[in-house]
């Protein structure tokens, strides 16, 4: 059976980053993890580092778009973005990710041009700006999901610094110099000072976790998790400070959160679908061995209290939309019972991932898309999906603007 050139299955690319889990993505994709590799991310898009392939002929989605961008993307999307503006992913976070911040589009362009002029290779480990684009992102939880998201309120940070003996020394600095003064101090002090503050605290948190005195809503849980299996604790990662200063957010399955430029964040645990602008610009502040550039991090971090905005979605018919304050992408969940049909007309290329169940796609020939399979539909196409049973689909698209 040959699908048409307007509605077709695609196969994404797995990323085996060390922080990934071993079971969730292989089970979703119905593949064997015979080598026991970490399956961290599944990319469904046209990013040049790992473009999806069109099935069955395995043509790169990136190449397919470039052959006729106006037809595939739609004229207005091609005019504004000059390519697919989003990257769709599944993540399985088994170990916590880096503390990170993403730049604005204007800052990314300036940083990219400067690093190009300095002759820093795109593949260099100390390269901050891989492209000229911003990287806002939204994630929807596929399980209980935990993350760090923005600085806590002034009152909450003062209470933390007051309640934790090892951090008492920082309270006066925070009251005098605020968020930026405190964070810059912690990011710039030498490793010996970091150790003197954090080593006794880390040992205390491990002891508390071992005696069931901590929950995942407490910073100490994640600090202990990071170090509890380390045989000999020496130099402490300064990213630990961020765990005490940032909001710890718990998302339930189906809940979402948006993270714009400047908001410091880190994923801690769980599975999600993630949708972001098609960029790889990340400024890091610790918790993994990846490159840290304190000067750039400080330039682009929002030093203010953030109240996490958990997005529960707006339902219309079978579709639940998760609104995002940008034009690069949109995401929605489509929930169907057996025999129910969802119809829509694309305004740009859409990518749909079946998380649960299966659908029949009415095309020139009908074909079935099952759990873990991905469907792509080009711009200005009307389509209909009919569920064979209880079905959950996540759809990535470009909003009408």
């Amino acid at each position: 059976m040959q699908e048409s050139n307007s509605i077709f299955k695609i196969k994404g690319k797995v990323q085996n980053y060390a922080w990934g889990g071993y079971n969730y993505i292989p089970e979703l994709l119905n593949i064997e993890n015979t080598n026991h590799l970490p399956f961290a991310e599944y990319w469904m898009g046209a990013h040049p580092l790992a473009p999806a392939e069109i099935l069955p002929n395995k043509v790169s989605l990136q190449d397919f778009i470039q052959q006729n961008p106006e037809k595939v993307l739609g004229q207005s999307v091609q005019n504004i973005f000059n390519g697919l503006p989003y990257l769709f992913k599944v993540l399985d976070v088994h170990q916590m990710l880096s503390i990170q911040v993403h730049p604005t589009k204007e800052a990314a362009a300036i940083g990219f041009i400067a690093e190009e002029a300095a002759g820093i290779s795109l593949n260099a480990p100390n390269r901050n700006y891989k492209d000229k684009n911003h990287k806002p992102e939204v994630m929807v939880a596929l399980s209980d999901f935990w993350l760090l998201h923005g600085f806590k309120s002034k009152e909450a940070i003062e209470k933390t610094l007051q309640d934790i003996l090892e951090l008492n020394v920082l309270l006066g600095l925070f009251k005098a110099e605020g968020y930026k003064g405190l964070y810059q101090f912690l990011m710039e002090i030498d490793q010996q000072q970091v150790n003197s503050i954090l080593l006794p605290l880390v040992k205390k948190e491990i002891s508390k976790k071992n005696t069931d005195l901590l929950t995942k809503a407490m910073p100490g849980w994640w600090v202990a998790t990071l170090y509890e299996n380390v045989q000999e604790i020496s130099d402490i990662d300064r990213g630990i400070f961020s765990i005490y200063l940032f909001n710890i957010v718990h998302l339930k399955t189906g809940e979402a959160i948006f993270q714009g430029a400047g908001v410091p964040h880190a994923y801690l645990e769980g599975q999600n679908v993630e949708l972001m602008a098609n960029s790889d610009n990340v400024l890091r502040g610790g918790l993994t061995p990846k490159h840290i550039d304190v000067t750039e991090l400080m330039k682009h971090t929002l030093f203010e209290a953030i109240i996490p905005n958990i997005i529960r979605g707006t339902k219309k018919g079978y579709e639940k939309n998760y609104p995002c304050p940008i034009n690069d992408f949109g995401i929605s969940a489509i929930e169907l019972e057996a025999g129910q049909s969802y119809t829509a007309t694309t305004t740009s290329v859409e990518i749909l991932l079946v998380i649960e169940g299966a659908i029949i796609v009415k095309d020139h020939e009908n074909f079935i898309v099952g759990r873990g399979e991905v469907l792509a539909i080009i711009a200005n196409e009307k389509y209909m999906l009919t569920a064979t049973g209880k079905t959950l689909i996540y759809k990535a698209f470009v909003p009408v603007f």
Side-chain angles (χ1 to χ4, degrees), residues 169-237:
V169 67
L170 303 171
L171 182 57
L173 175 62
F174 180 62
K175 286 184 174 180
E177 299 189 24
Y179 290 97
K180 186 173 183 180
L182 174 63
Y183 204 64
Q184 184 149 8
F185 172 79
L186 295 174
M187 293 304 295
E188 292 180 350
I189 57 175
D190 62 42
Q191 187 62 49
Q192 186 177 351
Q193 290 178 286
V194 172
N195 292 342
S196 67
I197 297 172
L198 290 181
L199 188 56
L201 179 55
V202 169
K203 290 180 177 178
K204 182 188 290 184
E205 300 291 26
I206 292 172
S207 176
K208 284 184 178 180
K209 188 167 184 283
N210 289 339
T211 51
D212 296 325
L213 295 176
L214 298 175
T215 69
K216 291 182 179 181
M218 300 176 181
W221 173 280
W222 304 104
V223 174
T225 299
L226 194 61
Y227 281 98
E228 63 188 343
N229 295 318
V230 178
Q231 297 300 315
E232 192 172 327
I233 301 174
S234 53
D235 285 347
I236 303 296
D237 190 319

Side-chain angles (χ1 to χ4, degrees), residues 40-52:
E41 299 186 357
Y42 185 57
W43 289 23
M44 301 163 285
H47 195 287
L49 290 179

Side-chain angles (χ1 to χ4, degrees), residues 284-301:
R284 295 182 176 88
L287 294 185
T288 69
K290 291 188 176 181
H291 173 64
I292 294 173
D293 186 330
V294 173
T295 302
E296 286 300 307
L297 182 75
M298 297 299 294
K299 272 188 205 175
H300 303 294
T301 299

Side-chain angles (χ1 to χ4, degrees), residues 255-388:
E255 294 181 337
I257 196 164
F258 176 83
Q259 302 185 121
V263 176
H265 61 279
Y267 291 161
L268 298 173
E269 181 183 277
Q271 294 83 36
N272 69 30
V273 286
E274 184 182 56
L275 187 60
M276 62 186 63
N278 198 25
S279 171
D280 198 26
N281 290 326
V282 182
L283 306 169
R284 295 182 176 88
L287 294 185
T288 69
K290 291 188 176 181
H291 173 64
I292 294 173
D293 186 330
V294 173
T295 302
E296 286 300 307
L297 182 75
M298 297 299 294
K299 272 188 205 175
H300 303 294
T301 299
L302 283 175
F303 292 105
E304 59 187 43
I306 298 287
I307 299 173
N309 177 27
I310 296 176
I311 308 167
R312 294 179 175 86
T314 304
K315 193 156 188 180
K316 184 177 180 182
Y318 300 132
E319 187 169 12
K320 184 196 297 181
N321 184 55
Y322 296 91
C324 299
I326 43 130
N327 292 331
D328 303 58
F329 56 73
I331 188 168
S332 64
I334 301 164
E335 298 177 85
L336 301 169
E337 299 292 339
Q340 292 179 338
S341 295
Y342 168 84
T343 58
T345 302
T346 60
T347 54
S348 181
V349 65
E350 294 182 355
I351 297 177
L352 296 91
L353 167 67
V354 179
I355 289 291
E356 179 185 353
I359 51 173
I360 297 171
V361 181
K362 185 171 178 56
D363 194 15
H364 301 299
E365 292 185 52
N366 291 352
F367 61 99
I368 296 175
V369 184
R371 181 174 186 262
E373 293 189 306
V374 187
L375 190 68
I377 307 170
I378 71 169
N380 303 310
E381 284 291 322
K382 186 173 183 179
Y383 64 93
M384 182 171 72
L385 313 176
T386 302
T388 62

